[in-house]
Amino acid sequence: MDEQETRQAVHDQIDQLEVPQDLVAAAIQTGIEQAASKQTKPRRRHLGRWILTAAAAVLLGVGGVAAVNPSVSQALSNVAWLTNFYVFQGGVNHFSTLHVDGTAKAMDQRVTSNGVTVHLVEAYYNGRKVGVAGEVTGLFDHEKADEAMAFDLSGTEPENLRPVTGGFQATKTGFRFRNVYEVKSAGLPNQIVLPINIDHINGIVGRWNFEITLDQTKKTHALAQNAYDLDIPGGEITPMTMTSFHEGAELVYRSTSTGGADVLGFNSIKNAAGQELIDSSDGFRVGLGVCYLPLKEPLVQGKAYQVICEIDQKTSKKPTLVTREVVLWPAD
Amino acid sequence: MELTLKEITWVQQAVAGDHEALGQLLKGRSDYLYRTAYLYVGNQADALDVIQEATTQAVKTVSKLQNPHQFFTWFTRILIRQAQALYRRRQKETTMATPPEQVAPPVDATAHLDLLAALQVLGADYRQALQLFYYQDMSISEISQLLDVPEGTVKTRLRRGRSALHDQLGGNYYG
């Protein structure tokens, strides 16, 4: 019996273990309620209010970079910084996505006030999402780990962004943080100003504002809004726009249900070489209606791709997967 | 573990603080979670405790999750850590006759032991390695990182664990 067969045999045997569904559901619910009851607001110690602004204008994308901020053109490498961070996180909640994504730019901007320094290390803007990573050092009582976990970036996002994911991790000297925001509106702005407000760190309240101007070169093509000829049960998918960015691309489509589906969309797009084109490094939202699908590279007009459509019916626990060959960007 | 589009949406909602979405996500894979916990602790009550505690931990830390596609890998790690902690507590509560270096206690050759029962009598390190390798489908490298032990140690535990199962179950099932 080879390794794969052994694995299958183990799965087969273990999968016979009877599961008390109601009790498991109750345990999960109790676990959620238990966490909610334990989550309390951290204690705040107001040390007065200070507002600092560092105008750190950075142009991401192509052209004119050095004229705006010379440090960007130096292409500072943060690989060591991020690698250390990754190791520190134990590989569970890694913070390497910004760098791995390939679009992050070194910022290296610092603001210090009353002994607390906020170091904005890098940022990226892919036209749909904005990500920042940095480090906060100073004035930390590392003996009080629970209280130190009260680091909070809430309220950082301006009106046209909403937080998607974020996290922070204590280091020997402070905290490292990474936050990703999504552009709210359907339109893609060319520029975004992102202040970084830190509401409280270890009981200290203050604001360290970095005004970051992010620019993204993009080219959007409106597609003929005819539903793809997919012949899938329960609904249809209609293309809307195809946008190419300096790094990556985005296909916008609309999915509509014609009977019972509550999720309908592409979960895989492969080119002729079998390479997956959907960029899931930051995730993407799906459901019925308009979907903004991040791609690793722009689609080619008139070319056929192998797609897998997923249809989740309200009445079924398992989704239906349908593989099709389709021209996603039809010729004009 | 491949996630469906619906699950990816739930993960994103959970990361944004939606506890209900987290609950739906976990309940949708309750079979896998229960069996994983049960394999560690060996009884229903403790398995449910482990799931409950792991869920509590997940609610507290899910906002840090970066890649939605890694949700169940991430949650499995929490689950396993909770199971390990409970297993250690149970070990302290019970007088263990098994020497630490012994892979599995001697068993009555006439007794019938199925796979689950055989796993339960293995030393915790060996059972853990076998479970992660064969049921969670982790690579030796991934197990090494998760347990924070050298890859050679993982290989040794797998080899000895397989050998102990072979002794108990007979045949070449794990040979």
Side-chain angles (χ1 to χ4, degrees):
Chain A
M1 188 177 281
D2 67 16
E3 189 177 297
Q4 195 52 42
E5 289 170 331
T6 303
R7 274 203 165 112
Q8 191 54 52
V10 170
H11 275 269
D12 289 346
Q13 285 222 17
I14 291 175
D15 288 347
Q16 289 174 29
L17 183 64
E18 199 174 325
V19 178
Q21 300 284 353
D22 291 348
L23 293 176
V24 175
I28 290 168
Q29 197 57 40
T30 307
I32 290 171
E33 287 163 9
Q34 192 170 284
S37 68
K38 282 181 181 174
Q39 281 178 336
T40 54
K41 270 278 179 191
R43 182 166 56 90
R44 291 185 177 201
R45 180 161 51 96
H46 292 264
L47 295 183
R49 181 182 178 207
W50 59 87
I51 300 175
L52 290 176
T53 299
V58 176
L59 192 68
L60 297 186
V62 292
V65 171
V68 179
N69 185 349
S71 69
V72 175
S73 62
Q74 293 168 11
L76 299 175
S77 170
N78 294 305
V79 172
W81 190 87
L82 289 164
T83 302
N84 288 338
F85 204 171
Y86 179 75
V87 170
F88 185 82
Q89 293 276 48
V92 178
N93 302 311
H94 70 79
F95 275 51
S96 58
T97 312
L98 281 180
H99 203 85
V100 170
D101 183 77
T103 57
K105 299 293 179 185
M107 305 286 287
D108 199 22
Q109 303 292 328
R110 284 184 175 81
V111 174
T112 301
S113 177
N114 293 334
V116 176
T117 297
V118 179
H119 179 195
L120 192 59
V121 177
E122 63 178 11
Y124 82 96
Y125 173 39
N126 69 0
R128 178 60 58 192
K129 290 196 174 81
V130 175
V132 292
E135 189 167 20
V136 183
T137 51
L139 281 185
F140 296 105
D141 181 354
H142 297 281
E143 298 300 314
K144 297 178 182 175
D146 286 346
E147 191 178 3
M149 293 297 279
F151 174 81
D152 187 0
L153 275 175
S154 62
T156 289
E157 68 279 6
E159 280 184 6
N160 60 340
L161 297 180
R162 64 177 184 78
V164 179
T165 61
F168 63 95
Q169 186 69 49
T171 65
K172 286 181 181 176
T173 54
F175 292 100
R176 282 167 178 168
F177 65 88
R178 175 190 185 278
N179 269 30
V180 177
Y181 307 91
E182 194 172 63
V183 178
K184 277 182 184 171
S185 61
L188 304 177
N190 281 333
Q191 289 193 323
I192 288 174
V193 177
L194 179 69
I196 292 183
N197 303 320
I198 300 173
D199 281 354
H200 51 274
I201 311 167
N202 198 18
I204 300 165
V205 178
R207 297 178 68 190
W208 292 254
N209 280 355
F210 291 79
E211 290 186 6
I212 312 160
T213 302
L214 307 173
D215 194 3
Q216 174 68 250
T217 305
K218 69 173 193 288
K219 196 171 183 184
T220 299
H221 303 270
L223 307 184
Q225 295 194 25
N226 301 319
Y228 290 126
D229 183 18
L230 295 168
D231 189 25
I232 50 177
E236 58 183 26
I237 297 175
T238 306
M240 294 174 73
T241 60
M242 173 67 219
T243 302
S244 306
F245 300 119
H246 177 58
E247 297 279 352
E250 180 183 69
L251 172 67
V252 181
Y253 64 80
R254 186 177 60 251
S255 61
T256 49
S257 170
T258 54
D262 60 352
V263 172
L264 172 64
F266 296 124
N267 79 0
S268 171
I269 297 176
K270 288 185 178 171
N271 61 18
Q275 294 163 322
E276 178 58 58
L277 296 189
I278 295 179
D279 179 0
S280 57
S281 55
D282 275 336
F284 53 91
R285 290 182 177 277
V286 292
L288 293 176
V290 178
C291 177
Y292 304 92
L293 191 65
L295 302 174
K296 293 172 186 168
E297 60 186 63
L299 299 171
V300 179
Q301 190 171 19
K303 262 201 173 177
Y305 294 86
Q306 188 189 71
V307 302
I308 297 177
C309 304
E310 180 180 319
I311 307 113
D312 289 9
Q313 301 283 351
K314 287 173 188 168
T315 51
S316 172
K317 201 172 180 181
K318 287 193 174 177
T320 304
L321 299 176
V322 180
T323 303
R324 292 283 185 268
E325 194 90 5
V326 63
V327 176
L328 292 169
W329 183 357
D332 296 326
Chain B
M1 183 182 286
E2 289 287 321
L3 269 68
T4 66
L5 291 174
K6 189 188 274 184
E7 285 177 322
I8 291 169
T9 305
W10 281 338
V11 174
Q12 289 166 333
Q13 290 169 343
V15 168
D18 185 341
H19 295 171
E20 194 179 330
L22 182 68
Q24 284 176 306
L25 197 56
L26 296 177
K27 287 169 191 170
R29 302 275 182 154
S30 56
D31 289 4
Y32 166 78
L33 300 179
Y34 178 79
R35 286 169 183 148
T36 300
Y38 188 95
L39 287 175
Y40 267 89
V41 294
N43 67 77
Q44 185 186 93
D46 283 348
L48 293 172
D49 276 353
V50 165
I51 291 171
Q52 182 178 315
E53 284 304 314
T55 304
T56 300
Q57 287 300 316
V59 172
K60 290 177 179 174
T61 55
V62 69
S63 64
K64 296 179 187 174
L65 183 68
Q66 301 299 313
N67 185 346
H69 294 263
Q70 293 295 312
F71 177 83
F72 280 106
T73 304
W74 168 80
F75 187 81
T76 300
R77 284 176 171 138
I78 296 176
L79 193 74
I80 287 170
R81 289 199 184 105
Q82 292 295 328
Q84 282 178 311
L86 191 136
Y87 184 82
R88 279 196 294 270
R89 283 205 301 276
R90 292 284 183 266
Q91 275 191 316
K92 284 180 185 172
E93 291 165 9
T94 312
T95 305
M96 299 298 289
T98 310
E101 68 276 9
Q102 192 168 342
V103 179
V107 293
D108 179 354
T110 60
H112 170 73
L113 285 173
D114 64 8
L115 177 63
L116 293 180
L119 280 169
Q120 291 309 315
V121 297
L122 284 186
D125 288 345
Y126 306 100
R127 185 175 69 244
Q128 184 179 56
L130 289 170
Q131 181 180 340
L132 292 172
F133 189 75
Y134 287 111
Y135 189 58
Q136 262 77 35
D137 295 332
M138 287 186 178
S139 67
I140 287 171
S141 167
E142 287 171 325
I143 298 170
S144 160
Q145 285 178 22
L146 175 66
L147 302 179
D148 198 21
V149 296
E151 289 188 16
T153 304
V154 176
K155 288 177 186 171
T156 301
R157 288 177 185 176
L158 282 172
R159 191 177 65 247
R160 290 183 182 174
R162 277 193 292 255
S163 172
L165 281 181
H166 172 79
D167 290 346
Q168 293 183 60
L169 296 170
N172 66 347
Y173 191 74
Y174 284 94

